[in-house]
Amino acid sequence: TTFAFSQMEVAGTIGMTKFSEKVNGESIDHKHTVSGKLGFIFWIPFEDSRFSINTGITYGNLGSKFESLNDKTTITLGYVSVPVDFVYRLKPLGSSLFFSGGGYYGYLTSAETESVELKINDVDYSYKTSDYGVNVGAGYVFENGLTLRAGYTKGLANIMKYPAGVDNNSIKNSNITLSIGYIIFKKRI
C-alpha cells in the first residue's frame, strides 16, 4: 500500500568525499576525492503532504586521498546504502523548496586503491562491512518531477577494524553532494 501512494525518484549524485581519521587521538589530513551514486528514492507522504519520508536504495562510492612517504593513494569504497530522511516541503503541491534530515545505513561491497584490492571484514586493519551516519540537505522539486538537491553526510561508524587494545584510532566517512533526479510513477505533486 505504501508503494502505491508514494512517488519514486531516479537520482544521480556527484560529490566530494573524504575520511575523518584519527590515529592515537590525533587527526590525520586527508584530501577530498570525487564520489558518485545512482539509485531510487521513494517519497512517502504523510497525510499533510508537506511532510514525507524519503527512503530508497543507492549504490555509490566513498573514499579519500592521502599522501605517505611521497606516495599519493586514493582509496575507493563501494557501498549499497539505504537512506531514511524526513522531508519538509514549503508548499504541499507544485514546485517547492524542501529541507531534509535523517540517517543512512551502508553495506560495503568493494574496497580498493589504484593498484590493489583491500580487505573487507577480514583480519585487523581491514574495512568493516557496515557504515551508518546522518544526512542533512536542501533542494527544490519542480512540478514536472525534476529534483535538485545539495546535501552533507557524516559517518558515525568507525569503518576500520583495528587490533584489540587499539582504542584511539578511527576512520569515518563524510561526503558533500549535489544530485539531480526525476520523479517517475508520481501522483500529483
Side-chain angles (χ1 to χ4, degrees):
T1 304
T2 301
F3 178 77
F5 294 105
S6 68
Q7 303 171 69
M8 185 171 78
E9 176 185 357
V10 177
T13 301
I14 189 161
M16 299 300 288
T17 181
K18 75 174 191 169
F19 292 154
S20 299
E21 183 174 11
K22 290 191 177 181
V23 175
N24 296 323
E26 292 187 29
S27 295
I28 303 296
D29 187 34
H30 284 267
K31 305 291 184 222
H32 287 91
T33 186
V34 176
S35 67
K37 289 183 184 179
L38 288 174
F40 297 99
I41 304 295
F42 295 97
W43 292 64
I44 305 168
F46 291 105
E47 193 170 318
D48 172 0
S49 59
R50 286 179 191 261
F51 292 96
S52 65
I53 293 176
N54 283 16
T55 189
I57 189 163
T58 63
Y59 179 79
N61 64 314
L62 296 172
S64 209
K65 288 183 182 179
F66 65 94
E67 291 184 33
S68 62
L69 302 173
N70 296 326
D71 183 31
K72 294 181 182 178
T73 302
T74 300
I75 296 173
T76 304
L77 306 176
Y79 282 95
V80 174
S81 296
V82 177
V84 178
D85 290 328
F86 293 94
V87 178
Y88 175 74
R89 292 175 55 158
L90 295 182
K91 292 182 358 187
L93 299 174
S95 299
S96 178
L97 185 66
F98 65 88
F99 301 94
S100 62
Y104 73 92
Y105 173 80
Y107 184 82
L108 183 63
T109 60
S110 65
E112 60 190 21
T113 66
E114 297 91 341
S115 56
V116 299
E117 190 173 320
L118 303 171
K119 294 184 180 196
I120 299 174
N121 220 23
D122 193 22
V123 295
D124 295 334
Y125 298 107
S126 64
Y127 289 93
K128 296 178 182 177
T129 53
S130 292
D131 183 27
Y132 55 87
V134 294
N135 302 316
V136 293
Y140 197 84
V141 59
F142 294 88
E143 191 166 5
N144 67 2
L146 182 67
T147 62
L148 302 173
R149 78 172 43 95
Y152 176 71
T153 299
K154 176 66 177 159
L156 300 176
N158 180 1
I159 61 170
M160 180 63 71
K161 185 177 181 182
Y162 290 101
V166 177
D167 298 327
N168 292 329
N169 294 3
S170 67
I171 295 178
K172 298 178 181 180
N173 285 312
S174 65
N175 196 11
I176 298 170
T177 61
L178 295 173
S179 70
I180 185 167
Y182 186 75
I183 297 175
I184 56 177
F185 306 122
K186 61 184 175 224
K187 64 175 192 164
R188 185 175 172 218
I189 59 171

